[in-house]
Amino acid sequence: MCSRGIRNCNPGNIRKSGRPGLYRGEIEGATDPEFRQFAAMEWGYRALFTVLYTYEVRHGLRTPRQWISRWAPPSENHTEAYLRFVCERVGIAPDSRLSTLDRKSMIPFAAAMSEMENGVEAIEEEVVAGWELFFADFGPKSTKKR
């Protein structure tokens, strides 16, 4: 049996919140009462990248430690173990400063988060497809309002 995040096409296990509206690719009227559900994994990865991007531009968070501490707070997770796992998988230091618009670091970062969340290795093609959807909307040449 696969994990909830895989079943929901939500590799980051993004919870439902008071945030109005849906992420692109999110299923309206989804059946999971706690977690968002997406039409396909690439939309779930796009949402994961979007949340991390929001952490950077709205909250000034720029390091893996800052992102993971907000994503997986100690009240719900073993944050340090999560951080250690992701950083070891990606080969980066917890306090290294990253840009959420850097493909080279963010694709493996999201893949490692997905593996931590779901217990299975991410499928690279799905992560890359999610990155492409995200970057089309938020990259430097995007016409979408931020």
Side-chain angles (χ1 to χ4, degrees):
M1 184 154 166
C2 63
S3 70
R4 188 180 206 172
I6 301 299
R7 285 192 314 273
N8 288 342
C9 293
N10 180 355
N13 282 315
I14 300 169
R15 289 187 179 276
K16 290 181 177 178
S17 66
R19 177 185 173 274
L22 301 172
Y23 286 94
R24 286 189 57 212
E26 188 175 354
I27 298 170
E28 193 165 356
T31 56
D32 190 311
E34 294 180 55
F35 293 88
R36 295 179 183 272
Q37 293 174 277
F38 295 92
M41 286 299 281
E42 56 263 29
W43 291 109
Y45 280 110
R46 181 199 176 275
L48 190 158
F49 289 121
T50 301
V51 172
L52 293 173
Y53 177 78
T54 301
Y55 288 176
E56 181 177 15
V57 299
R58 287 199 187 143
H59 305 289
L61 307 180
R62 291 182 171 81
T63 69
R65 182 181 309 281
Q66 292 170 331
W67 295 336
I68 298 296
S69 293
R70 184 169 177 119
W71 189 280
S75 60
E76 299 175 13
N77 299 273
H78 190 304
T79 305
E80 283 301 312
Y82 194 125
L83 177 65
R84 192 170 38 258
F85 178 86
V86 170
C87 288
E88 286 174 3
R89 282 285 192 278
V90 180
I92 56 175
D95 296 308
S96 55
R97 189 177 171 112
L98 302 177
S99 167
T100 55
L101 295 177
D102 177 43
R103 175 189 179 104
K104 186 178 176 186
S105 58
M106 293 313 295
I107 289 175
F109 194 87
M113 287 181 68
S114 175
E115 185 176 353
M116 180 66 185
E117 292 283 341
N118 299 292
V120 295
E121 199 169 311
I123 297 170
E124 185 176 1
E125 293 81 17
E126 293 172 344
V127 185
V128 169
W131 171 262
E132 296 299 332
L133 290 168
F134 161 76
F135 201 75
D137 287 339
F138 296 100
K141 295 182 181 178
S142 167
T143 57
K144 184 172 181 153
K145 292 198 177 212
R146 297 175 204 237

